[in-house]
Amino acid sequence: MDTAIFFIQVLNSVQYGLLLFLVASGLTLIFGIMGIINLAHGSFYMIGAYLAFSLTGLIGDFWLALAAGVVVAVLIGLALEWLVIRFLYDRDHLYQVLLTYGLILIFEECRSLLWGDDVHGVPVPPALDFSIPLTENLSYQVFRVAMSAICLALAAGMYWLIQKTRLGMMIRAGSVNREMVQSLGINIGLLYRVVFALGVALAAFAGMLGSPVSSVFPGMGNQVLIVSFVVVVIGGIGSVKGALVAALAIGFADTFGKVLLPQIAGMVVYLLMAAILLWRPQGIFGKA
Amino acid sequence: MNDSKALASRRRFLKTAAGGAAAAAGVLHAPFIIAQPAKIKVGLMLPYTGTYAALGTAITNAFKLYIAEKGGKLAGRELEYVVLDDESDPAKGVDNASRIVNRDKVDVLVGTVHSGVQAGMVKVSRESGVLSIIPNAGFGAATGALCAPNIFRTSFSNWQTIHALGKVMMEKGHKTCAWITHKYAAGQEMFEGFKEGYEKVGGRIVKDLWLPFPNVEFQALLTEIAAAKPSATACFFAGGGAVKFVKDYDAAGLKKNIPLYGNGFLTDGTLQAQGASAQGILTTLHYADSLNVPKDREFRLNYAKAYKLQPDVYAVQGYDAAQLLDIGLKAVKGDMKNTKGMIKAMEGVTIDSPRGKWKMSKAHNPIQDSYLRQVVGEQNKFVGVAWKALEDPARGCKMG
C-alpha cells in the first residue's frame, strides 16, 4: 500500500467512524442514561432515511427536509415514550427487549405500507455534489466531507449539552439516581421523555444525513443496529465520549480489515470488541 | 378464502347429487351432471415480505396472469393456490417446504427467489418427488450436482447470468479487470462463472475483492480498485447493495476511467434510485427492455393492463413457470398423478417466452440467449445478443 492510498484509507476510516458515532450516540443516551435496551434504534435510523426521501421530494431542498425531519422525529420520540417506553423503566431488560423488538416489526410493516418495498435514492444536495480529485482515478465527494464535519459538530454539541448545561446536569444525575433527582423536585418523567426524543432524533438525523450516500431500502435499520450496539459496548455504556472513540476505532478496524484481512473482514470488528472487553469489561470509558 | 370453502361444499353437494342426477341424464345437458375433477393444488412458496417481497409478487402476478389468459384452467382443470410466505429466511426453508408438500399436499411446488431457501426446497423436492418449478433462485446445484427429474427451472443459473460478460468486456478492449462482490454463496458462483468466461478469452483478473454480506460500506474497497488500476471493473450486486455500489462507484470518480460492468441485477429495478450514476452501464441478462420480441410486447401490455405495473424479468420467469406447467398438464390431459408423463413432456420443451424462445436443457435449466443491455434513462435497453443459446454446464448433474 503506497502512502497516498494509505492516507485515503485513513480518511475512509474517519468518515465511516464519524457516521457510526452519529447513529450510536442516540443509542448510548437511551441505553446508558435511561437504562432502556432499545432494539428499535435501527428502525429510527430507517425512518429518518425514508423521511429524508419523502420530504426532499416534497420540499425540494435537502437541508430544509432535514430540519423538518428532525421535528417529525422528535414528535415520534415524545409520542413513543408516552405511549409505551415509560412503562418499562422499572421492568426487567427482557421486557424492554420484547417490546422494542415488537416495535421493529411494527415499523417495518408501516414502512412497507407507506413506502413499499422498493429501493429509493435521495439526491445529493446540488451545492455539495462535486468531487475533489485525489489520484488519477479516485476522487472524494465533497458531501462526504460535509457529513464528517456535521458529525463532528454534533459530537461537540452533545458534549456541551451534557457536560455544561443545566439540562445535561439533570440528565447525568438522573442516570445515577432516579429517586434522588425526583425528590429534589425535578420532573424525571419529563426529563426521560426529552432524552428519549433526543435519542430518536439523533438516530433519525443520522439516517437522513446518510441517505444520499446510503440510499433508502427495507431492512436498512437492522444493519446499523448491531454495529451501534458494538460501539456502545466498546465505548462504555452511557459515555458519549466513549461512543466517539469506539466508533472511530471500528471505522479503522472495518476499513483496514477489509483491505488487509479480506478473508476475515466480517469478523474484525467483533474480534476488536472481544479484545477490548477482555481488557476492560466495562468498555473504554465505562464506569466500573 | 371463503369462496374456496363455499366452492368445496358445493362440490361435495354436486358429487352426492351426481348419482341422483345421473338418472335424469337423458333429459339434462351433459355438463351439468358431470362431477368436476378436483382442482390442481399449486403451492406458491415465495417471499411476500422482506427485501425480496417485490420479486415474489411479480412472479405470482405473472403466473396468475397466464392462468387467467387460459380462462382460469389448465388442461380443463381449475387451479387452487396454497400460498406461503418464505420470508427469504433460509433457516425456515426446509420446514416451510415440507409443510406445504406434506401437510397441504400440493400437486406442484412453485418457488422461490432466495438461493438459500431454495437449497432447503430442493432437499424436500428430492425426498418427496413432488413436481417443482423454480421461478428465480439461481443456486447452481439445483440443476447441477443436486439436479433431479422432478425439479425444473424457468429462470437462470447464477453462472449463466454473468458468463457472457467476460467476452463482452474483451470485445470492448478491457484486458484486465477488478472483481468485487459480497462474500456469500451466490457471489462465489457469479465469480466462477465470470472468471471462466473472461479467462477463456485471455482476460486477467488483477484483483478480486470480497465484502462481508450484507455490509455496504464500499469506500475501502473502492480505494483498492483505484490503487490496482485495472482497465475495467466487473461486479455482482443486487437490490439495495446495487444502488449504493453504483452511486458510490460514480461518486468516487472511478466510473470515467475504469468502466463498471456487471450482470443485469446491478441495474434491474434500481434505476430510479441510482439516477445519473447508472447511465451507460453495460450488463448481461436473459431479459431486456425494448426487446424486439412480439410475445414480449403482448405480455407487457397484458401485464400492465392487469396490474397497472410494468413487468420485469422476475415476472417473465413466473409467466414461464405457468407455461411450463401448462405444457406438462396438457400432455397428460390434466392427470396430475401421471408425474412421469408430465416430466417427459416438460423435458426438452421449447418455451415461447417474452424473453424470446428458450429450450429446456437436460439438467432442466433454460438454454437461453444472454443479452447485452445498456442503461439509458430508466431502461435497460437491448443492445445485442452477448451469447446465443447459453447453456449452464450443469456440473455434477448425472441426468440426461
Side-chain angles (χ1 to χ4, degrees):
Chain A
M1 199 186 301
D2 61 33
T3 341
I5 295 295
F6 174 77
F7 278 111
I8 296 170
Q9 295 292 23
V10 169
L11 190 64
N12 291 334
S13 309
V14 171
Q15 197 253 318
Y16 178 46
L18 285 174
L19 194 63
L20 269 185
F21 163 73
L22 196 55
V23 190
S25 58
L27 189 64
T28 207
L29 276 184
I30 293 175
F31 188 20
I33 292 171
M34 301 169 59
I36 296 280
I37 297 186
N38 179 23
L39 293 185
H41 195 71
S43 302
F44 301 140
Y45 174 82
M46 176 193 73
I47 290 171
Y50 275 93
L51 277 177
F53 165 67
S54 285
L55 293 172
T56 309
L58 213 65
I59 300 172
D61 182 77
F62 179 74
W63 304 110
L64 285 178
L66 213 61
V70 168
V71 174
V72 176
V74 167
L75 292 177
I76 292 176
L78 291 174
L80 265 182
E81 201 276 347
W82 180 73
L83 272 172
V84 286
I85 302 293
R86 67 187 167 119
F87 300 106
L88 289 178
Y89 299 134
D90 301 325
R91 303 224 179 186
D92 192 56
H93 280 325
L94 208 57
Y95 288 93
Q96 305 171 352
V97 168
L98 205 59
L99 186 117
T100 52
Y101 181 72
L103 287 178
I104 295 185
L105 300 180
I106 292 170
F107 285 134
E108 273 297 322
E109 211 46 48
C110 290
R111 190 263 314 139
S112 186
L113 290 174
L114 284 172
W115 284 290
D117 297 315
D118 289 336
V119 183
H120 297 289
V122 177
V124 174
L128 297 173
D129 193 10
F130 62 99
S131 300
I132 309 164
L134 294 176
T135 70
E136 54 172 323
N137 293 325
L138 196 67
S139 42
Y140 218 80
Q141 203 179 15
V142 173
F143 180 71
R144 281 177 180 272
V145 181
M147 268 166 66
S148 300
I150 293 173
C151 291
L152 274 177
L154 262 165
M158 277 180 68
Y159 176 79
W160 174 78
L161 176 77
I162 290 177
Q163 299 297 334
K164 307 284 180 201
T165 65
R166 198 173 162 74
L167 177 67
M169 203 157 68
M170 289 193 283
I171 290 173
R172 277 181 290 141
S175 75
V176 178
N177 195 331
R178 209 180 130 88
E179 284 76 29
M180 183 60 83
V181 173
Q182 207 161 14
S183 59
L184 288 173
I186 290 164
N187 185 346
I188 192 90
L190 184 67
L191 184 67
Y192 272 30
R193 195 163 300 158
V194 169
V195 172
F196 187 80
L198 186 64
V200 172
L202 278 169
F205 184 77
M208 286 188 275
L209 186 65
S211 63
V213 298
S214 73
S215 70
V216 180
F217 53 95
M220 64 188 296
N222 304 340
Q223 291 186 14
V224 301
L225 175 69
I226 295 170
V227 73
S228 298
F229 267 105
V230 173
V231 168
V232 170
V233 170
I234 291 183
I237 293 164
S239 165
V240 175
K241 188 166 56 171
L244 180 60
V245 172
L248 286 172
I250 286 176
F252 274 91
D254 188 76
T255 303
F256 283 92
K258 275 177 194 156
V259 176
L260 301 174
L261 304 164
Q263 292 308 315
I264 56 158
M267 285 159 59
V268 172
V269 165
Y270 305 100
L271 290 175
L272 177 76
M273 173 167 82
I276 289 179
L277 292 184
L278 277 175
W279 165 54
R280 278 180 75 88
Q282 73 275 34
I284 302 175
F285 288 97
K287 293 175 203 83
Chain B
M1 291 299 142
N2 290 332
D3 281 0
S4 75
K5 219 180 234 169
L7 281 176
S9 61
R10 192 188 66 180
R11 203 160 58 231
R12 251 198 318 278
F13 165 74
L14 278 177
K15 270 186 191 153
T16 34
V27 288
L28 286 170
H29 287 295
F32 181 72
I33 52 155
I34 293 171
Q36 292 222 333
K39 290 181 186 176
I40 293 169
K41 256 193 182 180
V42 178
L44 294 176
M45 177 166 160
L46 288 160
Y48 295 104
T49 56
T51 316
Y52 292 135
L55 282 64
T57 308
I59 290 166
T60 309
N61 283 348
F63 190 95
K64 291 186 172 168
L65 175 68
Y66 180 81
I67 309 298
E69 284 172 1
K70 297 289 154 189
K73 287 182 183 176
L74 294 185
R77 291 183 63 181
E78 278 181 57
L79 278 74
E80 68 176 323
Y81 299 99
V82 178
V83 179
L84 194 152
D85 178 9
D86 70 32
E87 301 164 43
S88 295
D89 184 352
K92 296 185 195 155
V94 172
D95 279 357
N96 278 335
S98 61
R99 204 170 89 203
I100 199 168
V101 169
N102 299 322
R103 191 195 70 185
D104 299 330
K105 304 233 179 300
V106 296
D107 296 310
V108 54
L109 177 62
V110 178
T112 188
V113 170
H114 187 286
S115 283
V117 180
Q118 196 69 56
M121 291 177 75
V122 164
K123 184 173 177 286
V124 173
S125 297
R126 284 169 65 93
E127 281 164 5
S128 64
V130 66
L131 187 67
S132 307
I133 304 176
I134 305 171
N136 187 65
F139 168 53
T143 59
L146 295 175
C147 71
N150 59 316
I151 299 174
F152 289 83
R153 179 147 60 191
T154 59
S155 50
F156 57 86
S157 73
N158 287 334
W159 181 96
Q160 220 175 2
T161 59
I162 202 160
H163 187 68
L165 190 64
K167 204 177 88 176
V168 168
M169 286 168 63
M170 205 43 132
E171 279 161 11
K172 302 273 171 202
H174 303 298
K175 293 195 178 66
T176 60
C177 82
W179 165 269
I180 178 167
T181 192
H182 275 129
K183 191 172 181 62
Y184 68 136
Q188 191 66 40
E189 288 188 356
M190 300 288 184
F191 176 62
E192 278 153 21
F194 171 72
K195 189 175 170 201
E196 197 185 318
Y198 190 51
E199 289 183 345
K200 206 186 284 167
V201 292
R204 198 162 59 84
I205 301 174
V206 292
K207 188 119 204 161
D208 56 304
L209 298 163
W210 304 83
L211 196 74
F213 184 78
N215 187 313
V216 286
E217 196 49 47
F218 300 112
Q219 244 10 67
L221 298 183
L222 292 177
T223 308
E224 287 297 286
I225 293 176
K229 299 195 179 96
S231 167
T233 299
C235 72
F236 160 60
F237 288 111
V243 172
K244 184 162 190 312
F245 183 74
V246 166
K247 288 175 85 172
D248 285 1
Y249 195 85
D250 184 32
L254 288 165
K255 202 179 150 198
K256 48 183 190 299
N257 291 335
I258 308 173
L260 182 62
Y261 293 81
N263 56 4
F265 306 115
L266 189 65
T267 55
D268 244 89
T270 52
L271 287 173
Q272 192 236 332
Q274 286 162 333
S277 299
Q279 293 308 307
I281 292 180
L282 288 165
T283 58
T284 54
L285 201 69
H286 49 279
Y287 191 56
D289 291 313
S290 58
L291 267 183
N292 196 17
V293 175
K295 180 93 184 174
D296 187 44
R297 281 196 290 273
E298 182 194 319
F299 170 69
R300 286 191 168 224
L301 210 66
N302 291 344
Y303 190 95
K305 222 185 274 170
Y307 301 108
K308 313 277 174 273
L309 266 175
Q310 281 300 313
D312 52 16
V313 63
Y314 311 107
V316 171
Q317 294 162 182
Y319 190 77
D320 288 356
Q323 291 207 64
L324 182 67
L325 180 63
D326 190 17
I327 287 164
L329 275 171
K330 267 196 193 122
V332 296
K333 304 202 169 51
D335 176 16
M336 198 70 217
K337 296 283 168 286
N338 186 358
T339 315
K340 277 223 172 75
M342 286 186 73
I343 289 172
K344 196 153 171 278
M346 287 155 74
E347 277 179 332
V349 76
T350 298
I351 300 274
D352 187 12
S353 165
R355 74 187 94 164
K357 286 196 173 66
W358 59 266
K359 197 169 176 297
M360 190 64 82
S361 78
K362 282 179 180 153
H364 297 177
N365 190 58
I367 305 173
Q368 58 194 345
D369 292 350
S370 180
Y371 300 125
L372 180 64
R373 311 115 39 95
Q374 182 163 37
V375 177
V376 179
E378 285 192 14
Q379 283 208 322
N380 285 292
K381 267 227 152 71
F382 170 77
V383 176
V385 177
W387 200 303
K388 190 95 195 133
L390 183 60
E391 181 174 0
D392 183 85
R395 293 194 179 99
C397 177
K398 301 278 193 300
M399 274 193 322

